[in-house]
């Protein structure tokens, strides 16, 4: 029985040897091809892995540059903010100084105006005092001459005539000063009492 099976197997192998060799060759070729494909895949995997490493390195470098750029931008922004703050504070100081300067100028102007007003008032008082002193002196000199402006000067001669014209000149000065300085009310009595009441055309003696 065993011998029969062996013979049958031998006969089967003889009949199918070529086919089996072909199949074996095909499988061997396929195996080699698969091996080559696997090697190619391994090479491609290594290449892709290297590319991933390079890509990751590039990403890391990019992130570093991005972070560095962000830091630099933040520094520039901070510096800009500092400058803007300093400029704003400087503007505030300038505005404050301008206000203080304006206040000082106004205060100085007010003081100057008050001083000028005081000087004008003092000057007016001094002028008035000087005029009054001059009028009083003229009135005394007029009285010392001892003449009356109502005398008929056509009849006067010599020293008395000289004193008459001197008194007339002093009276004219008194009247002019009093009128120019609004003092007629104060010296009106003297003027009315001593002004000429008559008009002479010749000596009637």
């Amino acid at each position: 029985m065993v011998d029969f099976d062996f013979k049958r197997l031998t006969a089967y192998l003889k009949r199918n040897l070529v086919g089996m060799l072909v199949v074996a060759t095909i499988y061997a070729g396929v195996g080699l091809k698969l091996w080559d494909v696997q090697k190619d895949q391994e090479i491609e995997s290594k290449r892709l892995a290297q590319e991933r490493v390079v890509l990751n390195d590039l990403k890391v470098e990019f992130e570093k540059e991005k972070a560095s750029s962000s830091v630099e931008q933040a520094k520039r922004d901070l510096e800009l903010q500092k400058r803007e703050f300093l400029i704003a504070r400087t503007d505030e100081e300038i505005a404050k100084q301008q206000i203080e300067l304006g206040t000082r100028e106004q205060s100085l102007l007010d003081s100057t105006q008050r001083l000028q007003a005081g000087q004008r008032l003092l000057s007016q008082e001094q002028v008035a005092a000087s005029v009054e002193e001059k009028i009083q002196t003229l009135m005394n000199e007029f009285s010392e001459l001892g003449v009356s402006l109502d005398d008929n000067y056509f009849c006067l001669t010599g020293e008395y005539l000289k004193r008459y014209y001197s008194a007339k000149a002093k009276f004219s000065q008194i009247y002019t000063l009093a009128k120019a300085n609004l003092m007629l009310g104060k010296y009106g009595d003297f003027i009315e009492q001593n002004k000429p009441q008559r008009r002479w055309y010749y000596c009637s003696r």
Side-chain angles (χ1 to χ4, degrees):
M1 185 68 177
V2 175
D3 184 52
F4 175 76
D5 290 336
F6 180 75
K7 289 180 179 180
R8 289 179 62 184
L9 178 61
T10 301
Y12 176 79
L13 291 173
K14 286 180 179 180
R15 289 194 303 269
N16 296 288
L17 179 60
V18 175
M20 293 176 65
L21 289 174
V22 171
V23 171
T25 301
I26 291 173
Y27 276 109
V30 171
L32 290 174
K33 187 65 176 177
L34 291 175
W35 175 256
D36 291 337
V37 170
Q38 184 177 0
K39 288 180 67 178
D40 291 339
Q41 288 179 346
E42 290 178 356
I43 293 172
E44 183 67 17
S45 296
K46 290 180 180 180
R47 186 183 65 80
L48 291 175
Q50 290 177 351
E51 289 182 356
R52 289 192 187 95
V53 171
V54 173
L55 182 60
N56 288 333
D57 291 340
L58 290 175
K59 287 183 178 180
V60 170
E61 188 66 25
F62 173 75
E63 292 298 331
K64 287 182 179 179
E65 291 180 358
K66 183 178 179 181
S68 177
S69 176
S70 299
V71 171
E72 292 298 326
Q73 184 63 39
K75 289 181 179 179
R76 287 193 293 269
D77 292 341
L78 181 60
E79 185 66 24
L80 180 60
Q81 290 176 359
K82 288 181 179 179
R83 291 181 181 179
E84 290 177 348
F85 172 76
L86 291 175
I87 291 173
R89 189 168 67 178
T90 301
D91 291 340
E92 290 178 358
E93 289 294 329
I94 292 174
K96 183 178 179 181
Q97 291 176 1
Q98 288 177 342
I99 293 174
E100 291 178 353
L101 181 60
T103 302
R104 291 178 183 176
E105 289 179 349
Q106 185 61 44
S107 177
L108 180 60
L109 179 61
D110 293 341
S111 298
T112 302
Q113 290 176 345
R114 287 194 297 269
L115 179 60
Q116 290 176 346
Q119 288 176 341
R120 285 194 297 270
L121 180 60
L122 180 61
S123 178
Q124 291 174 355
E125 292 176 351
Q126 289 175 340
V127 169
S130 177
V131 169
E132 288 196 40
E133 183 179 357
K134 180 66 174 176
I135 291 175
Q136 289 292 339
T137 300
L138 289 170
M139 288 170 60
N140 292 333
E141 292 175 352
F142 178 87
S143 298
E144 289 175 357
L145 289 172
V147 298
S148 173
L149 296 182
D150 269 337
D151 289 343
N152 187 346
Y153 54 89
F154 287 104
C155 299
L156 302 178
T157 59
E159 183 64 24
Y160 191 86
L161 181 61
K162 290 180 181 179
R163 286 190 284 118
Y164 175 87
Y165 281 119
S166 178
K168 186 176 182 180
K170 293 182 184 298
F171 180 84
S172 178
Q173 290 180 8
I174 292 170
Y175 177 80
T176 300
L177 287 172
K179 183 178 180 180
N181 292 277
L182 305 177
M183 295 180 180
L184 289 176
K186 186 172 184 178
Y187 297 101
D189 291 342
F190 176 86
I191 292 172
E192 287 296 326
Q193 291 174 5
N194 293 281
K195 72 178 182 179
Q197 302 294 331
R198 300 177 183 180
R199 182 172 295 181
W200 302 100
Y201 298 99
Y202 57 90
C203 182
S204 59
R205 289 185 298 181

